[in-house]
Amino acid sequence: MQTEAMPIHTTVTTASQLANLDLDNLQFGKVFADHMLVVDYADGAWQDPQIVPYGPIEVSPATAALHYGQALFEGMKAYKTVDGQVVLFRPRDNWARMNESAKRLCMPEIPEEIFMEGLKQLISIDADWVPQRQGYSLYIRPFMFGSEGLLGVRPANSYKFIIFCSPASSYYAEPVRVKIEEYYTRAVEGGFGYAKAAGNYGGSLLPAKLAGEQGFHQIIWTDGREHNYIEESGTMNVMFVIDGTLVTPALSTSILAGITRDSVLTLARDWGMKVEERRIPIQEVVDAYAAGKLQDAFGTGTAATIAHIKSITFRDQEMELPPLAEREFSNRVSKELDAIRYGQAPDPHVWVVPVQ
Ligand SMILES: *Cc1c(COP(=O)(O)O)cnc(C)c1O
Protein backbone atom coordinates (compact mmCIF):
# COMPACT_ATOMS: atom_id res chain seq x y z
CA MET A 1 0.00 0.00 0.00
CA GLN A 2 1.31 3.40 -0.88
CA THR A 3 1.21 5.86 1.99
CA GLU A 4 0.05 9.27 0.99
CA ALA A 5 2.62 12.03 1.40
CA MET A 6 1.73 14.85 3.75
CA PRO A 7 0.15 17.57 1.60
CA ILE A 8 2.24 20.73 1.57
CA HIS A 9 0.84 23.88 0.06
CA THR A 10 3.32 24.90 -2.61
CA THR A 11 3.79 28.15 -4.50
CA VAL A 12 6.14 27.56 -7.40
CA THR A 13 8.46 30.41 -8.31
CA THR A 14 7.86 32.37 -11.50
CA ALA A 15 11.43 33.66 -11.48
CA SER A 16 13.71 30.62 -11.28
CA GLN A 17 17.38 31.49 -10.87
CA LEU A 18 18.57 28.07 -12.01
CA ALA A 19 19.73 29.30 -15.43
CA ASN A 20 22.18 31.65 -13.65
CA LEU A 21 23.81 28.83 -11.68
CA ASP A 22 27.51 28.72 -12.54
CA LEU A 23 28.99 25.55 -11.04
CA ASP A 24 32.52 26.52 -12.06
CA ASN A 25 32.49 29.66 -9.95
CA LEU A 26 30.50 28.70 -6.92
CA GLN A 27 31.14 30.50 -3.67
CA PHE A 28 29.85 28.67 -0.61
CA GLY A 29 26.51 29.98 0.68
CA LYS A 30 26.07 32.82 -1.79
CA VAL A 31 23.52 31.41 -4.22
CA PHE A 32 20.22 29.97 -3.06
CA ALA A 33 17.89 27.42 -4.60
CA ASP A 34 14.48 28.61 -5.81
CA HIS A 35 12.27 27.47 -2.93
CA MET A 36 12.14 27.28 0.84
CA LEU A 37 9.99 25.46 3.36
CA VAL A 38 8.37 27.65 6.00
CA VAL A 39 6.49 26.38 9.05
CA ASP A 40 5.13 28.62 11.78
CA TYR A 41 4.58 27.64 15.38
CA ALA A 42 1.76 29.53 17.06
CA ASP A 43 -0.88 28.94 19.74
CA GLY A 44 1.03 25.92 21.00
CA ALA A 45 1.09 24.04 17.69
CA TRP A 46 2.97 23.75 14.41
CA GLN A 47 0.85 25.19 11.59
CA ASP A 48 0.59 23.87 8.04
CA PRO A 49 3.97 23.76 6.25
CA GLN A 50 4.31 25.78 3.06
CA ILE A 51 6.80 25.70 0.22
CA VAL A 52 7.28 29.17 -1.23
CA PRO A 53 9.79 30.97 -3.47
CA TYR A 54 13.07 31.71 -1.64
CA GLY A 55 13.05 35.30 -0.43
CA PRO A 56 13.13 37.74 2.49
CA ILE A 57 10.97 37.24 5.56
CA GLU A 58 9.51 40.02 7.65
CA VAL A 59 10.23 40.13 11.37
CA SER A 60 9.46 42.56 14.19
CA PRO A 61 12.41 44.56 15.60
CA ALA A 62 11.44 43.02 18.94
CA THR A 63 11.90 39.46 17.61
CA ALA A 64 13.02 37.30 20.53
CA ALA A 65 15.78 35.53 18.60
CA LEU A 66 17.51 38.81 17.72
CA HIS A 67 17.72 39.86 21.37
CA TYR A 68 18.02 36.74 23.45
CA GLY A 69 19.40 34.21 21.02
CA GLN A 70 16.62 31.66 20.67
CA ALA A 71 18.04 30.54 17.34
CA LEU A 72 19.41 27.22 16.18
CA PHE A 73 20.24 25.53 12.92
CA GLU A 74 21.26 22.34 11.17
CA GLY A 75 23.56 21.65 8.25
CA MET A 76 23.18 18.73 5.86
CA LYS A 77 23.54 17.88 2.19
CA ALA A 78 21.69 16.32 -0.74
CA TYR A 79 23.78 14.47 -3.33
CA LYS A 80 23.08 13.31 -6.87
CA THR A 81 24.26 9.71 -7.22
CA VAL A 82 26.08 8.42 -10.27
CA ASP A 83 22.74 7.24 -11.69
CA GLY A 84 21.02 10.56 -11.15
CA GLN A 85 19.08 9.83 -7.98
CA VAL A 86 18.82 12.61 -5.38
CA VAL A 87 19.69 11.34 -1.90
CA LEU A 88 20.10 12.67 1.61
CA PHE A 89 22.73 11.48 4.12
CA ARG A 90 21.37 10.44 7.55
CA PRO A 91 18.65 13.15 7.56
CA ARG A 92 16.83 11.65 10.56
CA ASP A 93 19.93 12.27 12.64
CA ASN A 94 19.75 15.96 11.77
CA TRP A 95 16.09 15.99 12.76
CA ALA A 96 16.85 14.30 16.10
CA ARG A 97 19.76 16.63 16.82
CA MET A 98 17.68 19.68 15.95
CA ASN A 99 15.20 18.63 18.61
CA GLU A 100 18.00 18.17 21.17
CA SER A 101 19.10 21.73 20.41
CA ALA A 102 15.47 22.92 20.63
CA LYS A 103 15.02 21.38 24.09
CA ARG A 104 18.14 23.12 25.39
CA LEU A 105 16.92 26.51 24.14
CA CYS A 106 13.29 26.05 25.33
CA MET A 107 12.04 25.90 21.75
CA PRO A 108 9.32 23.55 20.51
CA GLU A 109 10.38 20.22 19.03
CA ILE A 110 9.59 19.57 15.38
CA PRO A 111 7.55 16.46 14.56
CA GLU A 112 9.47 13.98 12.43
CA GLU A 113 6.87 14.08 9.66
CA ILE A 114 7.08 17.86 9.23
CA PHE A 115 10.88 17.80 9.10
CA MET A 116 11.29 14.73 6.89
CA GLU A 117 8.36 15.26 4.52
CA GLY A 118 8.99 18.99 4.30
CA LEU A 119 12.63 18.32 3.52
CA LYS A 120 11.93 15.65 0.92
CA GLN A 121 9.28 17.67 -0.88
CA LEU A 122 11.45 20.79 -0.89
CA ILE A 123 14.45 18.90 -2.29
CA SER A 124 12.22 17.20 -4.87
CA ILE A 125 10.99 20.56 -6.16
CA ASP A 126 14.55 21.90 -6.31
CA ALA A 127 16.10 18.60 -7.47
CA ASP A 128 17.65 20.35 -10.49
CA TRP A 129 19.65 22.44 -7.99
CA VAL A 130 21.52 19.34 -6.81
CA PRO A 131 24.64 19.38 -8.99
CA GLN A 132 25.55 16.12 -10.71
CA ARG A 133 29.27 16.41 -10.27
CA GLN A 134 31.69 14.45 -8.14
CA GLY A 135 32.23 16.24 -4.84
CA TYR A 136 29.35 18.70 -5.41
CA SER A 137 26.14 18.78 -3.39
CA LEU A 138 23.17 20.87 -2.38
CA TYR A 139 23.86 22.24 1.09
CA ILE A 140 20.68 22.29 3.17
CA ARG A 141 20.13 24.73 6.01
CA PRO A 142 17.19 24.01 8.34
CA PHE A 143 16.87 26.59 11.09
CA MET A 144 14.45 27.78 13.74
CA PHE A 145 14.09 30.96 15.73
CA GLY A 146 11.80 32.58 18.30
CA SER A 147 9.73 34.95 16.19
CA GLU A 148 7.56 36.57 18.83
CA GLY A 149 7.95 40.34 19.03
CA LEU A 150 8.22 40.78 22.78
CA LEU A 151 11.03 42.17 24.91
CA GLY A 152 10.26 40.13 28.02
CA VAL A 153 12.92 37.57 28.84
CA ARG A 154 11.16 34.23 28.55
CA PRO A 155 10.81 31.56 25.86
CA ALA A 156 8.96 33.00 22.86
CA ASN A 157 5.40 31.89 22.13
CA SER A 158 5.88 31.79 18.37
CA TYR A 159 8.61 30.33 16.16
CA LYS A 160 9.55 29.96 12.54
CA PHE A 161 11.11 26.80 11.14
CA ILE A 162 12.60 27.28 7.68
CA ILE A 163 14.64 25.13 5.33
CA PHE A 164 16.49 26.65 2.42
CA CYS A 165 19.32 25.37 0.24
CA SER A 166 22.50 26.46 -1.47
CA PRO A 167 24.46 24.52 -4.10
CA ALA A 168 27.99 23.70 -2.93
CA SER A 169 31.09 22.84 -4.87
CA SER A 170 33.60 20.19 -4.06
CA TYR A 171 35.17 21.34 -0.81
CA TYR A 172 38.84 20.81 -1.06
CA ALA A 173 40.72 22.85 1.45
CA GLU A 174 44.46 22.83 1.90
CA PRO A 175 45.43 21.10 5.15
CA VAL A 176 45.05 23.63 7.95
CA ARG A 177 47.45 25.08 10.52
CA VAL A 178 45.74 25.05 13.89
CA LYS A 179 46.60 26.40 17.32
CA ILE A 180 45.58 24.99 20.65
CA GLU A 181 43.60 27.72 22.36
CA GLU A 182 44.26 28.09 26.09
CA TYR A 183 42.40 31.32 26.86
CA TYR A 184 39.12 31.59 24.93
CA THR A 185 36.41 28.97 25.32
CA ARG A 186 33.78 27.82 22.81
CA ALA A 187 31.61 25.98 25.31
CA VAL A 188 31.64 24.84 28.92
CA GLU A 189 30.25 21.86 30.74
CA GLY A 190 26.63 22.65 31.59
CA GLY A 191 26.44 25.22 28.80
CA PHE A 192 24.95 24.62 25.36
CA GLY A 193 27.96 23.64 23.25
CA TYR A 194 26.21 20.40 22.29
CA ALA A 195 23.35 22.39 20.74
CA LYS A 196 23.70 23.78 17.23
CA ALA A 197 22.82 27.20 18.59
CA ALA A 198 23.53 30.41 16.71
CA GLY A 199 25.09 31.88 19.86
CA ASN A 200 27.91 29.33 19.91
CA TYR A 201 29.02 30.64 16.56
CA GLY A 202 28.78 34.33 17.49
CA GLY A 203 31.10 33.77 20.44
CA SER A 204 33.68 31.87 18.41
CA LEU A 205 34.26 34.56 15.78
CA LEU A 206 36.67 36.76 17.77
CA PRO A 207 39.02 33.97 18.89
CA ALA A 208 39.00 32.62 15.30
CA LYS A 209 39.80 36.09 13.95
CA LEU A 210 42.67 36.55 16.42
CA ALA A 211 44.07 33.13 15.52
CA GLY A 212 43.82 34.12 11.85
CA GLU A 213 45.89 37.24 12.56
CA GLN A 214 48.56 34.95 14.04
CA GLY A 215 48.64 32.90 10.83
CA PHE A 216 46.39 30.03 11.87
CA HIS A 217 43.40 28.77 9.90
CA GLN A 218 41.63 27.27 12.85
CA ILE A 219 41.52 26.87 16.62
CA ILE A 220 41.62 23.66 18.60
CA TRP A 221 39.32 24.43 21.51
CA THR A 222 40.13 23.12 24.95
CA ASP A 223 37.81 22.56 27.91
CA GLY A 224 36.55 25.71 29.61
CA ARG A 225 37.49 24.66 33.12
CA GLU A 226 41.21 23.81 32.90
CA HIS A 227 42.12 24.38 29.23
CA ASN A 228 43.79 21.03 29.52
CA TYR A 229 41.68 18.72 27.34
CA ILE A 230 41.03 18.82 23.59
CA GLU A 231 37.42 19.60 22.59
CA GLU A 232 36.80 20.48 18.93
CA SER A 233 38.55 22.05 15.96
CA GLY A 234 36.84 25.26 14.84
CA THR A 235 33.29 24.19 14.01
CA MET A 236 34.24 20.57 13.47
CA ASN A 237 34.83 17.57 15.68
CA VAL A 238 38.47 16.57 15.94
CA MET A 239 40.18 13.19 15.73
CA PHE A 240 43.72 11.87 16.00
CA VAL A 241 45.40 8.67 14.98
CA ILE A 242 47.94 7.86 17.67
CA ASP A 243 50.00 4.70 17.22
CA GLY A 244 47.27 3.12 15.06
CA THR A 245 44.37 3.97 17.39
CA LEU A 246 41.65 6.44 16.38
CA VAL A 247 41.13 8.79 19.34
CA THR A 248 38.48 11.50 19.68
CA PRO A 249 37.05 13.47 22.62
CA ALA A 250 34.05 11.75 24.21
CA LEU A 251 30.72 13.55 23.79
CA SER A 252 29.69 15.89 26.59
CA THR A 253 27.51 18.97 27.04
CA SER A 254 30.33 21.07 25.55
CA ILE A 255 30.85 19.01 22.38
CA LEU A 256 28.56 18.85 19.39
CA ALA A 257 27.58 15.31 18.37
CA GLY A 258 28.63 15.47 14.73
CA ILE A 259 26.96 13.09 12.30
CA THR A 260 30.20 12.92 10.33
CA ARG A 261 31.99 12.10 13.61
CA ASP A 262 29.64 9.19 14.21
CA SER A 263 29.96 7.99 10.59
CA VAL A 264 33.77 8.05 10.74
CA LEU A 265 33.85 6.18 14.07
CA THR A 266 31.39 3.60 12.73
CA LEU A 267 33.45 2.90 9.60
CA ALA A 268 36.66 2.70 11.66
CA ARG A 269 35.04 0.07 13.90
CA ASP A 270 33.71 -1.79 10.84
CA TRP A 271 37.28 -1.95 9.56
CA GLY A 272 38.55 -3.40 12.82
CA MET A 273 40.41 -0.30 13.89
CA LYS A 274 40.81 0.41 17.60
CA VAL A 275 38.64 3.42 18.49
CA GLU A 276 38.66 5.41 21.72
CA GLU A 277 36.17 8.12 22.74
CA ARG A 278 37.53 9.72 25.88
CA ARG A 279 39.16 12.82 27.33
CA ILE A 280 42.38 13.76 25.52
CA PRO A 281 44.89 15.84 27.50
CA ILE A 282 46.91 18.27 25.35
CA GLN A 283 50.06 16.68 26.80
CA GLU A 284 49.11 13.32 25.29
CA VAL A 285 49.18 14.84 21.79
CA VAL A 286 52.51 16.56 22.52
CA ASP A 287 54.02 13.34 23.87
CA ALA A 288 52.69 11.28 20.94
CA TYR A 289 54.26 13.77 18.55
CA ALA A 290 57.61 13.64 20.38
CA ALA A 291 57.54 9.83 20.23
CA GLY A 292 56.77 9.86 16.50
CA LYS A 293 53.35 8.29 17.12
CA LEU A 294 51.06 11.15 16.03
CA GLN A 295 50.10 9.76 12.63
CA ASP A 296 47.06 11.83 11.72
CA ALA A 297 44.86 14.70 12.90
CA PHE A 298 41.73 15.97 11.18
CA GLY A 299 38.41 17.69 11.67
CA THR A 300 35.09 16.08 10.72
CA GLY A 301 31.94 17.88 9.58
CA THR A 302 29.30 18.02 6.85
CA ALA A 303 30.93 20.86 4.89
CA ALA A 304 34.30 19.19 4.25
CA THR A 305 33.74 15.63 5.57
CA ILE A 306 37.45 15.45 6.52
CA ALA A 307 39.62 18.54 7.02
CA HIS A 308 43.23 17.42 7.29
CA ILE A 309 45.38 19.23 9.83
CA LYS A 310 48.82 20.21 8.59
CA SER A 311 50.29 21.32 11.88
CA ILE A 312 49.26 21.85 15.48
CA THR A 313 50.82 24.66 17.49
CA PHE A 314 50.89 24.40 21.27
CA ARG A 315 52.42 27.46 22.96
CA ASP A 316 55.60 27.99 20.94
CA GLN A 317 55.93 24.51 19.47
CA GLU A 318 54.58 23.82 15.97
CA MET A 319 54.01 20.10 15.48
CA GLU A 320 54.10 19.14 11.77
CA LEU A 321 51.94 16.15 10.82
CA PRO A 322 52.97 13.56 8.22
CA PRO A 323 52.37 14.40 4.52
CA LEU A 324 48.83 13.74 3.22
CA ALA A 325 49.89 10.74 1.17
CA GLU A 326 50.82 8.91 4.37
CA ARG A 327 47.49 9.51 6.09
CA GLU A 328 46.01 6.12 5.40
CA PHE A 329 42.92 6.26 7.60
CA SER A 330 41.64 9.77 6.93
CA ASN A 331 42.10 9.37 3.17
CA ARG A 332 40.31 6.02 3.17
CA VAL A 333 37.37 7.16 5.30
CA SER A 334 36.94 10.35 3.28
CA LYS A 335 36.79 8.35 0.03
CA GLU A 336 34.48 5.73 1.47
CA LEU A 337 31.95 8.31 2.74
CA ASP A 338 31.92 9.99 -0.65
CA ALA A 339 31.48 6.64 -2.40
CA ILE A 340 28.49 5.80 -0.16
CA ARG A 341 26.87 9.19 -0.82
CA TYR A 342 27.30 9.04 -4.58
CA GLY A 343 26.03 5.47 -4.77
CA GLN A 344 29.40 3.98 -5.67
CA ALA A 345 29.78 1.75 -2.59
CA PRO A 346 27.47 -0.45 -0.52
CA ASP A 347 25.60 1.32 2.28
CA PRO A 348 25.44 -1.31 5.06
CA HIS A 349 24.18 1.15 7.71
CA VAL A 350 21.43 2.54 5.46
CA TRP A 351 22.67 6.12 5.77
CA VAL A 352 21.51 7.18 2.33
CA VAL A 353 17.82 8.13 1.94
CA PRO A 354 16.36 8.81 -1.54
CA VAL A 355 14.10 11.88 -1.69
CA GLN A 356 11.60 10.42 -4.16
C1 LIG B 1 27.87 21.19 13.00
C2 LIG B 1 29.04 21.04 13.90
C3 LIG B 1 29.91 19.94 13.83
C4 LIG B 1 29.81 18.86 12.77
O1 LIG B 1 28.61 18.17 12.75
P1 LIG B 1 28.21 17.31 11.45
O2 LIG B 1 26.90 16.72 11.81
O3 LIG B 1 29.28 16.29 11.28
O4 LIG B 1 28.17 18.27 10.31
C5 LIG B 1 30.93 19.85 14.77
N1 LIG B 1 31.10 20.80 15.71
C6 LIG B 1 30.31 21.89 15.79
C7 LIG B 1 30.55 22.90 16.84
C8 LIG B 1 29.26 22.05 14.88
O5 LIG B 1 28.47 23.13 14.97
Side-chain angles (χ1 to χ4, degrees):
M1 190 180 89
Q2 186 142 5
T3 53
E4 191 151 331
M6 179 177 70
I8 296 183
H9 187 268
T10 300
T11 309
V12 176
T13 184
T14 53
S16 173
Q17 295 300 309
L18 189 58
N20 300 327
L21 177 60
D22 177 6
L23 290 182
D24 295 320
N25 297 290
L26 210 50
Q27 233 182 309
F28 179 73
K30 268 212 129 169
V31 176
F32 304 106
D34 283 333
H35 298 92
M36 61 184 187
L37 176 84
V38 181
V39 197
D40 285 309
Y41 181 92
D43 306 321
W46 287 103
Q47 309 297 305
D48 289 340
Q50 305 229 8
I51 291 173
V52 296
Y54 174 85
I57 52 173
E58 197 165 278
V59 295
S60 152
T63 298
L66 297 178
H67 298 269
Y68 310 125
Q70 266 193 308
L72 57 80
F73 67 96
E74 272 301 322
M76 57 203 296
K77 283 176 169 177
Y79 303 86
K80 210 166 259 177
T81 64
V82 283
D83 42 17
Q85 212 185 12
V86 177
V87 301
L88 298 161
F89 187 74
R90 305 187 65 174
R92 263 187 195 81
D93 296 86
N94 291 95
W95 162 73
R97 184 170 70 190
M98 185 151 191
N99 282 344
E100 287 307 305
S101 301
K103 278 190 251 178
R104 182 61 180 83
L105 295 178
C106 288
M107 296 164 80
E109 291 177 55
I110 304 207
E112 180 172 358
E113 196 192 20
I114 291 182
F115 187 97
M116 290 301 299
E117 269 307 309
L119 177 64
K120 285 182 182 176
Q121 292 189 34
L122 176 69
I123 304 303
S124 298
I125 285 183
D126 280 339
D128 289 343
W129 283 87
V130 187
Q132 182 143 35
R133 240 192 231 196
Q134 189 71 32
Y136 281 60
S137 59
L138 184 66
Y139 182 82
I140 303 167
R141 172 51 61 89
F143 73 112
M144 197 214 300
F145 64 94
S147 56
E148 188 182 3
L150 175 102
L151 286 180
V153 180
R154 58 149 172 78
N157 280 330
S158 55
Y159 294 85
K160 263 189 195 303
F161 168 55
I162 297 178
I163 306 180
F164 66 103
C165 305
S166 173
S169 61
S170 153
Y171 187 108
Y172 177 75
E174 286 294 316
V176 288
R177 285 187 74 212
V178 301
K179 79 170 254 205
I180 296 184
E181 176 63 54
E182 289 185 279
Y183 176 70
Y184 291 107
T185 301
R186 190 192 80 88
V188 290
E189 224 180 295
F192 56 97
Y194 70 95
K196 228 170 162 67
N200 286 325
Y201 279 66
S204 72
L205 295 177
L206 177 65
K209 179 174 165 236
L210 296 174
E213 286 165 8
Q214 298 165 2
F216 299 103
H217 302 101
Q218 203 66 268
I219 281 173
I220 289 199
W221 301 103
T222 54
D223 71 283
R225 202 175 278 180
E226 300 170 62
H227 292 295
N228 193 29
Y229 297 96
I230 306 280
E231 295 256 301
E232 296 203 55
S233 173
T235 58
M236 304 178 92
N237 296 111
V238 67
M239 300 191 183
F240 304 91
V241 178
I242 299 176
D243 200 14
T245 299
L246 181 63
V247 189
T248 194
L251 295 178
S252 71
T253 51
S254 61
I255 293 183
L256 191 119
I259 293 162
T260 319
R261 175 188 181 278
D262 184 75
S263 306
V264 168
L265 297 180
T266 301
L267 289 179
R269 288 181 176 120
D270 287 354
W271 296 339
M273 192 171 183
K274 195 169 165 210
V275 174
E276 294 176 358
E277 298 176 68
R278 56 171 172 79
R279 298 228 282 181
I280 306 173
I282 301 168
Q283 195 58 44
E284 180 181 345
V285 175
V286 174
D287 290 347
Y289 177 74
K293 290 178 176 172
L294 185 60
Q295 294 153 332
D296 205 344
F298 54 92
T300 68
T302 294
T305 303
I306 300 291
H308 298 281
I309 293 174
K310 178 175 157 40
S311 73
I312 303 172
T313 297
F314 178 55
R315 298 186 182 161
D316 46 21
Q317 185 191 10
E318 178 163 10
M319 301 177 277
E320 250 337 293
L321 277 111
L324 271 199
E326 290 172 26
R327 315 248 192 128
E328 216 176 298
F329 175 72
S330 57
N331 286 322
R332 180 180 176 195
V333 84
S334 169
K335 271 202 202 107
E336 182 69 14
L337 283 170
D338 265 353
I340 293 171
R341 289 161 174 156
Y342 293 105
Q344 296 158 307
D347 177 21
H349 300 284
V350 202
W351 285 336
V352 165
V353 177
V355 299
Q356 273 144 337

